[in-house]
Amino acid sequence: MQPSSPTGPVLSMHDVWKSFPTPRGTVEVLRGVNLEIDPGSFVVITGPSGSGKSTFLNLASLLDTPTKGTLHFGGRLASALNERELCALRKERLGMVFQKFCLLTHRSALDNVLFRFRYLTSPDSDARSRAEHALARVGLASHAEQPVRLMSGGEMQRVAIARAVAQRPDLLVADEPTGNLDRAASTSVMETFRELNADGITILLVTHNEALLRYATRHLVCREGRLEDVS
Amino acid sequence: MIRQLRASLRDIADDIRARPGRAGLSFLALAIGMTALTVLLAVLGGLQDRARQIVEELGAQVFAIAQAPSDAQTQPSLRLSARHMDLLRAHLPGASISGVQLTERVSAGGDRQVRIVATDEALLDIRPWRIASGRFLDARDLHNRERVAVAEETLAREWNWRVGDVIRLRETPYRLIGLLRIGADALESESTDPALSPGDRALFVPRTLPPYWQFSAPAAEPPLDAIYIRNPRGQSIEQSVALARTLLTQPDQRLERLSFITPEVLLQRLRKLQDTIRFTAGSIAILCLVLGGTTLMSLLVANVRERVTEIGLRRALGATAQDIAGLFVLEAILLTAIAALSGALGTCAVLWMARDRFPIPLRLDLFVLLTPLLVATLLGIAFSFWPARAAARISPAEALRNE
Ligand SMILES: Nc1ncnc2c1ncn2[C@@H]1O[C@H](COP(=O)(O)OP(=O)(O)OP(=O)(O)O)[C@@H](O)[C@H]1O
Ligand SMILES: [Mg+2]
């Protein structure tokens, strides 16, 4: 699969709505999101709790589908893709980082990064060298064989980032990646993101920490189910 | 493909290592079930082999009429005798008929004991035995009351007898004229043969001979212990048995305690045993397997619940719903298959070592080993279906929601 053309937006949403059925009726979480994310940008999204940031990220990372509206990923209309094609896009073009790391705690750092290739068909040796390279990039080359349960939170999150970028993604999505980290660890994680962005990886990051806005090239606020640019 | 399988195996090994207790418990339950199943298969297979052997030994077209030994007071006229053979011969044209009289075990020198079977030349037509060397008794031996004997081959080998030797039973010399090969364990096995009991070492002599302690001619009609009949062609064995029964149980024959032994009669006991075992061991095996299966299912259900985040991660990394389902199904199949293999192998090993002391014959072959494996695979698929489907239906967004 060819990477999307560098000129078009990585992700674009047009009048995207998302609602969830609940016992107390339908909840409209996103109410008409319009947005285009350009390649190479570092987008940071803030907003009150429950405003729909995670819901938006799930749509952006193709884990969920909009109730209404159109979503293009790399120029392809998501609603026109079948389950298999969505899975293929997720494994080849997307990287995800989570607040609680989502690591396989009893495996080593390198094995966790290698897990990125679990559903890809790249040859073993290639996967291994790319995983080692990704670990080196987040500054953990010397921790490759260490079981992740023995690592600090900051190190774990960097392993998770290495996993996300071992297969170079068109879009790196992170939902409160520093939410469980102290200031020093947050800084080292954010520096890692900055370096990746400098390398050309497009980043979409959600946070409650206003201090992280200084890394952003673009700041969006999520409010009442809509995303607004803040300059 | 291979790579994916290897990765799946690694994932499964990881999961089992993370939850050894739960996996161990369902493994144990399954292995016990598989043990029961293996015993069942080995025993039923053994009985089936035995049944086939019985029919082969006696011959499908052969039946015997035996009379239980009576006390010394019984008048000779109440015993089976050559007269009855003539009667049967008259009504069953074309049948081979042979009479057999068993003597007590007699000493053949030292502490060696043989069972002397007094019979006639027709016996060899009826029983599936073969002459190993020399010849069997013939009509002339019978007519002339020759003091000749035919020995069972292994007996002769053990005691170093050769055709042409003169052997002594008590003080009486007999000339050995032939060696007989009797089916592998025909004499050792339980008494399918009314004339021979287990462990007998048989020596065949003409039944017209007076017993060795009697040098004069025998009483007019020496009693017989059994009459063997090979059913004539073109007549069903049931008909022949019915006819023989009618002839010999007429009141004027005054024959008591007769039994009519056909392969069918011999098989009946075995069939009853087979049914009993099928029902008892079978229900135990089924119960154990269902128990093992449900334990496995609860293991998988709990696994799915515990691994929701991991499932979400896998989906985020590109796993399809089928990939997720496959992981749980494969884990189940692997667990059941290993349980089956160890259960079946262990059981076969134990049965093999104890086979001599086991009260019933056993069959230990590839079928007995591989059937549990097949059953295990089916069990694994059946009991993992639900949990796997549940896992596959977890939406990735929800799975990652609360990490
Ligand atoms: N699957 C769902 N079913 C029902 N309601 C949902 C579902 N997912 C999200 N919601 C609701 O949508 C709203 C937005 O949730 P979301 O997780 O997107 O908020 P958020 O902005 O990420 O909040 P936080 O900053 O606390 O993480 C919440 O009110 C939540 O209860
Ligand atoms: Mg959130």
Side-chain angles (χ1 to χ4, degrees):
Chain A
M1 208 179 274
Q2 289 294 306
S4 57
S5 75
T7 49
V10 177
L11 179 77
S12 71
M13 291 192 189
H14 180 71
D15 192 27
V16 163
W17 289 64
K18 180 70 186 176
S19 57
F20 295 104
T22 67
R24 285 169 287 104
T26 325
V27 196
E28 297 284 357
V29 181
L30 298 180
R31 306 148 182 256
V33 175
N34 287 293
L35 150 110
E36 291 200 344
I37 292 176
D38 295 323
S41 53
F42 194 144
V43 181
V44 173
I45 300 172
T46 58
S49 186
S51 56
K53 303 182 297 293
S54 297
T55 305
F56 166 75
L57 282 194
N58 282 340
L59 297 183
S61 49
L62 305 176
L63 289 173
D64 213 342
T65 48
T67 320
K68 209 168 79 185
T70 54
L71 184 155
H72 285 84
F73 184 91
R76 302 175 71 182
L77 180 63
S79 56
L81 302 175
N82 63 24
E83 158 82 3
R84 194 158 285 280
E85 289 167 321
L86 286 173
C87 285
L89 279 182
R90 284 206 293 269
K91 65 181 165 190
E92 285 160 10
R93 305 266 191 102
L94 273 155
M96 283 172 238
V97 176
F98 312 92
Q99 180 174 357
K100 289 178 189 159
F101 323 136
C102 269
L103 295 169
L104 306 171
T105 48
H106 38 279
R107 294 199 192 177
S108 72
L110 183 62
D111 281 341
N112 269 278
V113 179
L114 276 170
F115 203 62
R116 181 71 184 88
F117 301 96
R118 174 66 175 78
Y119 296 100
L120 283 163
T121 46
S122 35
D124 277 355
S125 56
D126 182 44
R128 198 182 166 85
S129 74
R130 287 205 274 166
E132 279 168 349
H133 181 239
L135 264 184
R137 225 166 144 182
V138 300
L140 290 173
S142 57
H143 293 61
E145 298 306 327
Q146 191 175 343
V148 293
R149 63 170 185 279
L150 303 179
M151 290 182 150
S152 73
E155 286 167 338
M156 285 198 204
Q157 194 59 295
R158 271 147 59 207
V159 171
I161 295 171
R163 179 180 64 197
V165 300
Q167 160 86 7
R168 187 185 167 92
D170 292 353
L171 180 66
L172 177 57
V173 176
D175 196 351
E176 298 183 43
T178 59
N180 279 15
L181 303 177
D182 68 8
R183 170 124 25 111
S186 296
T187 306
S188 84
V189 163
M190 288 310 291
E191 285 302 328
T192 308
F193 277 119
R194 192 216 291 279
E195 282 161 29
L196 292 169
N197 182 240
D199 234 17
I201 294 178
T202 312
I203 295 175
L204 189 55
L205 185 148
V206 164
T207 184
H208 282 289
N209 187 350
E210 304 273 337
L212 305 186
L213 285 172
R214 64 193 163 94
Y215 295 95
T217 61
R218 184 177 175 193
H219 177 201
L220 293 170
V221 175
C222 186
R223 218 175 274 132
E224 287 168 3
R226 285 192 193 85
L227 285 173
E228 291 158 16
D229 266 294
V230 183
S231 356
Chain B
M1 187 60 204
I2 302 272
R3 211 185 73 105
Q4 284 296 322
L5 189 68
R6 195 146 37 91
S8 297
L9 292 182
R10 163 107 206 255
D11 289 348
I12 289 163
D14 241 42
D15 178 55
I16 290 174
R17 220 175 302 134
R19 301 168 183 81
R22 218 184 272 157
L25 213 63
S26 37
F27 175 85
L28 203 69
L30 285 164
I32 292 171
M34 292 301 170
T35 301
L37 181 65
T38 312
V39 172
L40 179 71
L41 289 171
V43 169
L44 286 181
L47 289 177
Q48 209 177 342
D49 293 346
R50 190 79 196 93
R52 197 178 317 122
Q53 194 189 355
I54 283 173
V55 174
E56 270 166 22
E57 259 173 38
L58 193 60
Q61 287 300 313
V62 169
F63 65 99
I65 302 159
Q67 190 171 32
S70 51
D71 39 53
Q73 272 78 38
T74 314
Q75 295 174 27
S77 63
L78 300 183
R79 304 285 302 162
L80 276 176
S81 67
R83 185 163 57 83
H84 300 106
M85 290 173 62
D86 295 337
L87 183 67
L88 290 166
R89 205 170 276 127
H91 287 85
L92 289 170
S96 292
I97 298 178
S98 169
V100 165
Q101 184 200 356
L102 297 175
T103 64
E104 298 153 63
R105 287 152 197 264
V106 303
S107 162
D111 55 359
R112 304 188 296 194
Q113 292 230 316
V114 291
R115 162 77 89 177
I116 296 186
V117 181
T119 184
D120 49 52
E121 74 281 4
L123 190 64
L124 200 64
D125 291 342
I126 298 173
R127 309 310 319 273
W129 300 336
R130 284 194 308 112
I131 280 293
S133 62
R135 61 172 180 85
F136 195 63
L137 307 170
D138 63 17
R140 245 190 32 209
D141 298 328
L142 270 290
H143 186 258
N144 298 344
R145 298 185 176 140
E146 300 280 2
R147 283 201 184 273
V148 292
V150 175
E152 192 232 323
E153 191 187 23
T154 47
L155 170 76
R157 194 180 314 125
E158 267 173 48
W159 296 351
N160 211 12
W161 288 345
R162 259 174 280 275
V163 174
D165 284 358
V166 171
I167 57 177
R168 285 181 173 276
L169 301 172
R170 293 260 167 92
E171 293 310 315
T172 316
Y174 286 79
R175 190 161 46 84
L176 199 64
I177 56 167
L179 302 183
L180 194 59
R181 182 170 301 152
I182 292 180
D185 55 354
L187 296 184
E188 254 91 15
S189 57
E190 54 185 309
S191 48
T192 59
D193 199 322
L196 296 172
S197 44
D200 272 346
R201 302 160 173 290
L203 193 66
F204 300 83
V205 301
R207 70 177 155 76
T208 48
L209 266 184
Y212 54 86
W213 62 89
Q214 252 184 313
F215 281 89
S216 58
E221 293 210 16
L224 297 174
D225 294 297
I227 298 174
Y228 282 92
I229 299 155
R230 173 173 292 283
N231 191 40
R233 277 186 203 288
Q235 186 168 344
S236 83
I237 186 161
E238 289 78 18
Q239 276 177 322
S240 304
V241 173
L243 181 60
R245 196 188 294 272
T246 318
L247 289 172
L248 296 184
T249 52
Q250 293 170 55
D252 61 328
Q253 295 295 346
R254 295 195 299 160
L255 290 169
E256 285 167 359
R257 298 197 281 175
L258 282 189
S259 44
F260 292 79
I261 298 156
T262 60
E264 196 47 44
V265 169
L266 294 174
L267 289 180
Q268 259 165 22
R269 237 186 70 222
L270 216 59
R271 294 229 174 86
K272 215 170 277 172
L273 196 60
Q274 267 173 324
D275 286 345
T276 315
I277 289 169
R278 199 175 290 132
F279 281 117
T280 51
S283 45
I284 291 173
I286 289 172
L287 278 178
C288 289
L289 290 178
V290 168
L291 190 74
T294 42
T295 322
L296 175 74
M297 192 146 126
S298 73
L299 162 91
L300 292 172
V301 167
N303 266 9
V304 170
R305 203 170 299 146
E306 257 172 47
R307 294 165 72 185
V308 167
T309 309
E310 185 201 315
I311 291 168
L313 172 69
R314 286 174 186 272
R315 297 301 303 272
L317 295 181
T320 61
Q322 285 110 291
D323 288 332
I324 301 296
L327 194 68
F328 286 94
V329 173
L330 191 67
E331 174 160 346
I333 291 178
L334 213 68
L335 209 70
T336 49
I338 295 176
L341 259 187
S342 33
L345 271 176
T347 310
C348 281
V350 170
L351 290 180
W352 175 254
M353 286 184 292
R355 69 192 181 286
D356 292 336
R357 261 164 293 157
F358 213 70
I360 16 190
L362 294 170
R363 183 200 283 173
L364 299 169
D365 60 4
L366 221 56
F367 174 80
V368 171
L369 258 178
L370 294 186
T371 306
L373 208 59
L374 182 76
V375 171
T377 312
L378 295 179
L379 266 185
I381 293 172
F383 283 91
S384 63
F385 178 79
W386 251 97
R389 201 170 70 152
R393 286 185 171 182
I394 293 174
S395 110
E398 305 235 339
L400 289 165
R401 179 153 198 83
N402 294 313
E403 307 183 24

